[in-house]
Amino acid sequence: MQKSKLKWLASLAITAGILGACGDEKQISQGKASNDYEITVGLSQSAGGVLVDIAHQEGYFEEENIEVNRVGFANSADGLNALQAGKIDVGLTFGTAGPLTFIANGSDFSIIGGHLEGGHPILTKKENAGQYTSLESYKGKKVGTIRIFTSDIVFRSALEDAGIDWKTDLEIIEFKTGSMLLEAVASGKVDVAISANSFYAQGVEMGLEAVAWSNDLQEGHVCCRVVTRSELLAEDDGEAYKRFLKAIIRAERKKIEDPEAAITAAKEYMNVDEEVINKIVNESHSHYSSDPSKEKVVQMWEQMKEIGYVENVDDIDVNDYVNIDLYEKALSELIEQYPDDSYYKEQLVRFNEQNI
């Protein structure tokens, strides 16, 4: 979106108005107000957004002549409500289940890229960790989760595939925020938490232990997608969003080659020591990928339908809500800019495999 049309967004990012509108969000940082395009990105208040943070630190946004303002939210629902209300332009770390649930309820969102695959821990007290050896172990337990958490979908789907009725064989208790969920486990109100990567370090500090990861239940499942309002992509043929994707594609590469860069980038707003930051941004189960992975998004949509998470959606073709064109254009431009660089060509091969 052109900057001349978006000056009001800068003021939203630096005033209490956007913070008061949704209750739990906080401003993470501001851009420099000197580029051709400007967008405001919503992400996790507790863990930021690794690829955006690296792109900001390394100057990739500046090189693409796009100013990116970052605003933090305590949970996905608040962030996606802000996106729908026009208070942010992009949601980055609000999962896959979250945007799909909003789409099921009538939101005209477009998924245009990715950020994270897998990486969500199932947490319990250390003294109880030995109780959880298989999905059968969850029978009769009180299981805490957050509705529209991607890990919630993965867990319920895995139970169903194993022939376990999550409605009757165990008790699922839903919480509003990740912090509330962890407190419930620590206090014994629930036996185990289906958590998220952004709360893993906090859980460890509270004496909790991971007994399994979402990747164990469904290998390669997608999580955080880059999502925006479809109407915004009509402005300048989505030029601002293509530039944004180019920057996070480059950031993905930087993280692969230099994991320490993610720690340095996160220091800007995370007031914890490097060891804790490292647990969040470089956890081995968390796979950061900017690819939209359309096939996996469609797979999760079908899972949500199968377990009754979304209903009365037979008239919705989820393919219409996954825009892969901008990502392909972003990769093609990078290949043209760096013709001797094999990395971007390899990403195009991956893209063609995951976005049929």
PDB file of all heavy atoms in Angstrom, residues 99-100 103-104 109 111 294 297-302 305 313 315-323:
ATOM      1  N   PRO A  99      -6.137 -17.915  11.285  1.00  0.00           N
ATOM      2  CA  PRO A  99      -6.651 -17.323  10.048  1.00  0.00           C
ATOM      3  C   PRO A  99      -7.738 -18.172   9.377  1.00  0.00           C
ATOM      4  O   PRO A  99      -8.719 -17.636   8.874  1.00  0.00           O
ATOM      5  CB  PRO A  99      -5.399 -17.237   9.164  1.00  0.00           C
ATOM      6  CG  PRO A  99      -4.274 -17.122  10.129  1.00  0.00           C
ATOM      7  CD  PRO A  99      -4.658 -17.978  11.299  1.00  0.00           C
ATOM      8  N   LEU A 100      -7.589 -19.496   9.413  1.00  0.00           N
ATOM      9  CA  LEU A 100      -8.592 -20.353   8.788  1.00  0.00           C
ATOM     10  C   LEU A 100      -9.924 -20.284   9.523  1.00  0.00           C
ATOM     11  O   LEU A 100     -10.993 -20.341   8.905  1.00  0.00           O
ATOM     12  CB  LEU A 100      -8.093 -21.796   8.720  1.00  0.00           C
ATOM     13  CG  LEU A 100      -6.938 -22.062   7.745  1.00  0.00           C
ATOM     14  CD1 LEU A 100      -6.528 -23.528   7.782  1.00  0.00           C
ATOM     15  CD2 LEU A 100      -7.308 -21.648   6.319  1.00  0.00           C
ATOM     16  N   ILE A 103     -11.527 -17.136   8.404  1.00  0.00           N
ATOM     17  CA  ILE A 103     -12.043 -17.329   7.046  1.00  0.00           C
ATOM     18  C   ILE A 103     -13.354 -18.104   7.084  1.00  0.00           C
ATOM     19  O   ILE A 103     -14.313 -17.781   6.379  1.00  0.00           O
ATOM     20  CB  ILE A 103     -10.990 -18.048   6.183  1.00  0.00           C
ATOM     21  CG1 ILE A 103      -9.832 -17.092   5.860  1.00  0.00           C
ATOM     22  CG2 ILE A 103     -11.609 -18.583   4.886  1.00  0.00           C
ATOM     23  CD1 ILE A 103      -8.607 -17.759   5.265  1.00  0.00           C
ATOM     24  N   ALA A 104     -13.406 -19.130   7.929  1.00  0.00           N
ATOM     25  CA  ALA A 104     -14.633 -19.919   8.071  1.00  0.00           C
ATOM     26  C   ALA A 104     -15.793 -19.064   8.554  1.00  0.00           C
ATOM     27  O   ALA A 104     -16.959 -19.349   8.251  1.00  0.00           O
ATOM     28  CB  ALA A 104     -14.401 -21.082   9.032  1.00  0.00           C
ATOM     29  N   PHE A 109      -9.610 -12.972   4.184  1.00  0.00           N
ATOM     30  CA  PHE A 109      -8.172 -12.956   4.386  1.00  0.00           C
ATOM     31  C   PHE A 109      -7.475 -13.696   3.249  1.00  0.00           C
ATOM     32  O   PHE A 109      -8.049 -14.599   2.640  1.00  0.00           O
ATOM     33  CB  PHE A 109      -7.790 -13.636   5.702  1.00  0.00           C
ATOM     34  CG  PHE A 109      -8.122 -12.853   6.952  1.00  0.00           C
ATOM     35  CD1 PHE A 109      -8.086 -13.469   8.195  1.00  0.00           C
ATOM     36  CD2 PHE A 109      -8.449 -11.502   6.895  1.00  0.00           C
ATOM     37  CE1 PHE A 109      -8.372 -12.767   9.351  1.00  0.00           C
ATOM     38  CE2 PHE A 109      -8.745 -10.780   8.044  1.00  0.00           C
ATOM     39  CZ  PHE A 109      -8.705 -11.418   9.279  1.00  0.00           C
ATOM     40  N   ILE A 111      -3.777 -15.745   2.689  1.00  0.00           N
ATOM     41  CA  ILE A 111      -2.488 -16.254   3.166  1.00  0.00           C
ATOM     42  C   ILE A 111      -1.500 -16.115   2.019  1.00  0.00           C
ATOM     43  O   ILE A 111      -1.724 -16.647   0.931  1.00  0.00           O
ATOM     44  CB  ILE A 111      -2.611 -17.716   3.619  1.00  0.00           C
ATOM     45  CG1 ILE A 111      -3.487 -17.796   4.881  1.00  0.00           C
ATOM     46  CG2 ILE A 111      -1.240 -18.334   3.875  1.00  0.00           C
ATOM     47  CD1 ILE A 111      -3.872 -19.207   5.281  1.00  0.00           C
ATOM     48  N   LYS A 294       0.953 -24.140   0.449  1.00  0.00           N
ATOM     49  CA  LYS A 294      -0.495 -24.214   0.218  1.00  0.00           C
ATOM     50  C   LYS A 294      -1.061 -25.604   0.498  1.00  0.00           C
ATOM     51  O   LYS A 294      -2.141 -25.732   1.091  1.00  0.00           O
ATOM     52  CB  LYS A 294      -0.799 -23.811  -1.228  1.00  0.00           C
ATOM     53  CG  LYS A 294      -2.275 -23.830  -1.579  1.00  0.00           C
ATOM     54  CD  LYS A 294      -2.487 -23.370  -3.015  1.00  0.00           C
ATOM     55  CE  LYS A 294      -3.953 -23.374  -3.389  1.00  0.00           C
ATOM     56  NZ  LYS A 294      -4.162 -22.918  -4.787  1.00  0.00           N
ATOM     57  N   VAL A 297      -1.622 -26.034   4.157  1.00  0.00           N
ATOM     58  CA  VAL A 297      -2.722 -25.189   4.629  1.00  0.00           C
ATOM     59  C   VAL A 297      -4.059 -25.861   4.324  1.00  0.00           C
ATOM     60  O   VAL A 297      -4.949 -25.935   5.174  1.00  0.00           O
ATOM     61  CB  VAL A 297      -2.660 -23.790   3.979  1.00  0.00           C
ATOM     62  CG1 VAL A 297      -3.910 -22.980   4.323  1.00  0.00           C
ATOM     63  CG2 VAL A 297      -1.417 -23.041   4.435  1.00  0.00           C
ATOM     64  N   VAL A 298      -4.180 -26.369   3.104  1.00  0.00           N
ATOM     65  CA  VAL A 298      -5.412 -27.065   2.711  1.00  0.00           C
ATOM     66  C   VAL A 298      -5.611 -28.309   3.574  1.00  0.00           C
ATOM     67  O   VAL A 298      -6.738 -28.624   3.992  1.00  0.00           O
ATOM     68  CB  VAL A 298      -5.382 -27.426   1.210  1.00  0.00           C
ATOM     69  CG1 VAL A 298      -6.574 -28.302   0.839  1.00  0.00           C
ATOM     70  CG2 VAL A 298      -5.358 -26.156   0.360  1.00  0.00           C
ATOM     71  N   GLN A 299      -4.521 -29.015   3.864  1.00  0.00           N
ATOM     72  CA  GLN A 299      -4.607 -30.195   4.722  1.00  0.00           C
ATOM     73  C   GLN A 299      -5.164 -29.830   6.101  1.00  0.00           C
ATOM     74  O   GLN A 299      -6.022 -30.545   6.637  1.00  0.00           O
ATOM     75  CB  GLN A 299      -3.229 -30.839   4.871  1.00  0.00           C
ATOM     76  CG  GLN A 299      -3.219 -32.054   5.785  1.00  0.00           C
ATOM     77  CD  GLN A 299      -1.812 -32.603   6.015  1.00  0.00           C
ATOM     78  OE1 GLN A 299      -0.823 -32.066   5.522  1.00  0.00           O
ATOM     79  NE2 GLN A 299      -1.712 -33.684   6.770  1.00  0.00           N
ATOM     80  N   MET A 300      -4.674 -28.720   6.669  1.00  0.00           N
ATOM     81  CA  MET A 300      -5.174 -28.326   7.991  1.00  0.00           C
ATOM     82  C   MET A 300      -6.636 -27.927   7.928  1.00  0.00           C
ATOM     83  O   MET A 300      -7.411 -28.222   8.844  1.00  0.00           O
ATOM     84  CB  MET A 300      -4.331 -27.197   8.573  1.00  0.00           C
ATOM     85  CG  MET A 300      -4.761 -26.794   9.975  1.00  0.00           C
ATOM     86  SD  MET A 300      -3.477 -25.948  10.926  1.00  0.00           S
ATOM     87  CE  MET A 300      -2.327 -27.307  11.210  1.00  0.00           C
ATOM     88  N   TRP A 301      -7.039 -27.268   6.866  1.00  0.00           N
ATOM     89  CA  TRP A 301      -8.453 -26.913   6.675  1.00  0.00           C
ATOM     90  C   TRP A 301      -9.323 -28.169   6.693  1.00  0.00           C
ATOM     91  O   TRP A 301     -10.372 -28.201   7.357  1.00  0.00           O
ATOM     92  CB  TRP A 301      -8.614 -26.154   5.369  1.00  0.00           C
ATOM     93  CG  TRP A 301     -10.025 -25.851   4.967  1.00  0.00           C
ATOM     94  CD1 TRP A 301     -10.771 -26.479   4.016  1.00  0.00           C
ATOM     95  CD2 TRP A 301     -10.863 -24.806   5.492  1.00  0.00           C
ATOM     96  NE1 TRP A 301     -12.011 -25.916   3.910  1.00  0.00           N
ATOM     97  CE2 TRP A 301     -12.095 -24.880   4.799  1.00  0.00           C
ATOM     98  CE3 TRP A 301     -10.690 -23.822   6.461  1.00  0.00           C
ATOM     99  CZ2 TRP A 301     -13.153 -24.000   5.049  1.00  0.00           C
ATOM    100  CZ3 TRP A 301     -11.744 -22.950   6.715  1.00  0.00           C
ATOM    101  CH2 TRP A 301     -12.958 -23.048   6.027  1.00  0.00           C
ATOM    102  N   GLU A 302      -8.885 -29.197   5.994  1.00  0.00           N
ATOM    103  CA  GLU A 302      -9.645 -30.451   5.953  1.00  0.00           C
ATOM    104  C   GLU A 302      -9.690 -31.099   7.334  1.00  0.00           C
ATOM    105  O   GLU A 302     -10.721 -31.674   7.731  1.00  0.00           O
ATOM    106  CB  GLU A 302      -9.041 -31.407   4.927  1.00  0.00           C
ATOM    107  CG  GLU A 302      -9.161 -30.927   3.485  1.00  0.00           C
ATOM    108  CD  GLU A 302     -10.606 -30.696   3.062  1.00  0.00           C
ATOM    109  OE1 GLU A 302     -11.479 -31.492   3.474  1.00  0.00           O
ATOM    110  OE2 GLU A 302     -10.861 -29.718   2.330  1.00  0.00           O
ATOM    111  N   LYS A 305     -12.259 -29.357   9.448  1.00  0.00           N
ATOM    112  CA  LYS A 305     -13.605 -29.791   9.078  1.00  0.00           C
ATOM    113  C   LYS A 305     -13.909 -31.178   9.656  1.00  0.00           C
ATOM    114  O   LYS A 305     -15.004 -31.418  10.189  1.00  0.00           O
ATOM    115  CB  LYS A 305     -13.742 -29.807   7.558  1.00  0.00           C
ATOM    116  CG  LYS A 305     -13.776 -28.429   6.924  1.00  0.00           C
ATOM    117  CD  LYS A 305     -13.585 -28.478   5.415  1.00  0.00           C
ATOM    118  CE  LYS A 305     -14.646 -29.286   4.705  1.00  0.00           C
ATOM    119  NZ  LYS A 305     -14.460 -29.256   3.236  1.00  0.00           N
ATOM    120  N   VAL A 313     -19.158 -25.059   6.208  1.00  0.00           N
ATOM    121  CA  VAL A 313     -18.203 -24.355   5.344  1.00  0.00           C
ATOM    122  C   VAL A 313     -18.052 -25.054   3.987  1.00  0.00           C
ATOM    123  O   VAL A 313     -17.071 -24.834   3.279  1.00  0.00           O
ATOM    124  CB  VAL A 313     -16.821 -24.238   6.036  1.00  0.00           C
ATOM    125  CG1 VAL A 313     -16.893 -23.321   7.229  1.00  0.00           C
ATOM    126  CG2 VAL A 313     -16.293 -25.619   6.441  1.00  0.00           C
ATOM    127  N   ASP A 315     -19.426 -24.468   1.322  1.00  0.00           N
ATOM    128  CA  ASP A 315     -19.446 -23.518   0.207  1.00  0.00           C
ATOM    129  C   ASP A 315     -18.164 -22.696   0.126  1.00  0.00           C
ATOM    130  O   ASP A 315     -18.027 -21.842  -0.749  1.00  0.00           O
ATOM    131  CB  ASP A 315     -20.646 -22.585   0.325  1.00  0.00           C
ATOM    132  CG  ASP A 315     -20.637 -21.778   1.625  1.00  0.00           C
ATOM    133  OD1 ASP A 315     -20.007 -22.242   2.599  1.00  0.00           O
ATOM    134  OD2 ASP A 315     -21.259 -20.700   1.661  1.00  0.00           O
ATOM    135  N   ILE A 316     -17.211 -22.954   1.020  1.00  0.00           N
ATOM    136  CA  ILE A 316     -15.942 -22.227   1.018  1.00  0.00           C
ATOM    137  C   ILE A 316     -14.854 -23.083   0.381  1.00  0.00           C
ATOM    138  O   ILE A 316     -14.596 -24.202   0.823  1.00  0.00           O
ATOM    139  CB  ILE A 316     -15.516 -21.834   2.453  1.00  0.00           C
ATOM    140  CG1 ILE A 316     -16.524 -20.864   3.060  1.00  0.00           C
ATOM    141  CG2 ILE A 316     -14.117 -21.222   2.452  1.00  0.00           C
ATOM    142  CD1 ILE A 316     -16.203 -20.471   4.498  1.00  0.00           C
ATOM    143  N   ASP A 317     -14.224 -22.570  -0.664  1.00  0.00           N
ATOM    144  CA  ASP A 317     -13.059 -23.219  -1.256  1.00  0.00           C
ATOM    145  C   ASP A 317     -11.821 -22.534  -0.695  1.00  0.00           C
ATOM    146  O   ASP A 317     -11.496 -21.404  -1.075  1.00  0.00           O
ATOM    147  CB  ASP A 317     -13.083 -23.103  -2.777  1.00  0.00           C
ATOM    148  CG  ASP A 317     -11.921 -23.843  -3.442  1.00  0.00           C
ATOM    149  OD1 ASP A 317     -11.036 -24.351  -2.711  1.00  0.00           O
ATOM    150  OD2 ASP A 317     -11.881 -23.905  -4.679  1.00  0.00           O
ATOM    151  N   VAL A 318     -11.146 -23.201   0.230  1.00  0.00           N
ATOM    152  CA  VAL A 318     -10.032 -22.561   0.927  1.00  0.00           C
ATOM    153  C   VAL A 318      -8.902 -22.190  -0.025  1.00  0.00           C
ATOM    154  O   VAL A 318      -8.103 -21.281   0.264  1.00  0.00           O
ATOM    155  CB  VAL A 318      -9.520 -23.469   2.074  1.00  0.00           C
ATOM    156  CG1 VAL A 318      -8.727 -24.643   1.519  1.00  0.00           C
ATOM    157  CG2 VAL A 318      -8.709 -22.673   3.080  1.00  0.00           C
ATOM    158  N   ASN A 319      -8.819 -22.846  -1.163  1.00  0.00           N
ATOM    159  CA  ASN A 319      -7.794 -22.498  -2.150  1.00  0.00           C
ATOM    160  C   ASN A 319      -7.895 -21.029  -2.577  1.00  0.00           C
ATOM    161  O   ASN A 319      -6.896 -20.417  -2.953  1.00  0.00           O
ATOM    162  CB  ASN A 319      -7.924 -23.396  -3.387  1.00  0.00           C
ATOM    163  CG  ASN A 319      -7.530 -24.826  -3.098  1.00  0.00           C
ATOM    164  OD1 ASN A 319      -6.356 -25.172  -3.061  1.00  0.00           O
ATOM    165  ND2 ASN A 319      -8.525 -25.680  -2.885  1.00  0.00           N
ATOM    166  N   ASP A 320      -9.117 -20.489  -2.521  1.00  0.00           N
ATOM    167  CA  ASP A 320      -9.320 -19.100  -2.926  1.00  0.00           C
ATOM    168  C   ASP A 320      -8.696 -18.116  -1.932  1.00  0.00           C
ATOM    169  O   ASP A 320      -8.583 -16.925  -2.233  1.00  0.00           O
ATOM    170  CB  ASP A 320     -10.815 -18.804  -3.057  1.00  0.00           C
ATOM    171  CG  ASP A 320     -11.472 -19.599  -4.179  1.00  0.00           C
ATOM    172  OD1 ASP A 320     -10.752 -20.030  -5.094  1.00  0.00           O
ATOM    173  OD2 ASP A 320     -12.705 -19.780  -4.116  1.00  0.00           O
ATOM    174  N   TYR A 321      -8.308 -18.618  -0.765  1.00  0.00           N
ATOM    175  CA  TYR A 321      -7.790 -17.752   0.288  1.00  0.00           C
ATOM    176  C   TYR A 321      -6.278 -17.930   0.495  1.00  0.00           C
ATOM    177  O   TYR A 321      -5.732 -17.408   1.465  1.00  0.00           O
ATOM    178  CB  TYR A 321      -8.538 -18.017   1.596  1.00  0.00           C
ATOM    179  CG  TYR A 321     -10.004 -17.672   1.493  1.00  0.00           C
ATOM    180  CD1 TYR A 321     -10.917 -18.612   1.019  1.00  0.00           C
ATOM    181  CD2 TYR A 321     -10.476 -16.415   1.845  1.00  0.00           C
ATOM    182  CE1 TYR A 321     -12.268 -18.299   0.905  1.00  0.00           C
ATOM    183  CE2 TYR A 321     -11.824 -16.095   1.732  1.00  0.00           C
ATOM    184  CZ  TYR A 321     -12.717 -17.038   1.262  1.00  0.00           C
ATOM    185  OH  TYR A 321     -14.053 -16.736   1.150  1.00  0.00           O
ATOM    186  N   VAL A 322      -5.647 -18.660  -0.408  1.00  0.00           N
ATOM    187  CA  VAL A 322      -4.191 -18.822  -0.369  1.00  0.00           C
ATOM    188  C   VAL A 322      -3.631 -18.250  -1.666  1.00  0.00           C
ATOM    189  O   VAL A 322      -3.826 -18.812  -2.742  1.00  0.00           O
ATOM    190  CB  VAL A 322      -3.773 -20.293  -0.206  1.00  0.00           C
ATOM    191  CG1 VAL A 322      -2.259 -20.392  -0.038  1.00  0.00           C
ATOM    192  CG2 VAL A 322      -4.480 -20.940   0.973  1.00  0.00           C
ATOM    193  N   ASN A 323      -2.962 -17.126  -1.570  1.00  0.00           N
ATOM    194  CA  ASN A 323      -2.386 -16.449  -2.730  1.00  0.00           C
ATOM    195  C   ASN A 323      -0.899 -16.802  -2.806  1.00  0.00           C
ATOM    196  O   ASN A 323      -0.111 -16.359  -1.980  1.00  0.00           O
ATOM    197  CB  ASN A 323      -2.576 -14.932  -2.585  1.00  0.00           C
ATOM    198  CG  ASN A 323      -2.012 -14.141  -3.752  1.00  0.00           C
ATOM    199  OD1 ASN A 323      -0.937 -14.437  -4.263  1.00  0.00           O
ATOM    200  ND2 ASN A 323      -2.733 -13.116  -4.166  1.00  0.00           N
TER     201      ASN A 323
END
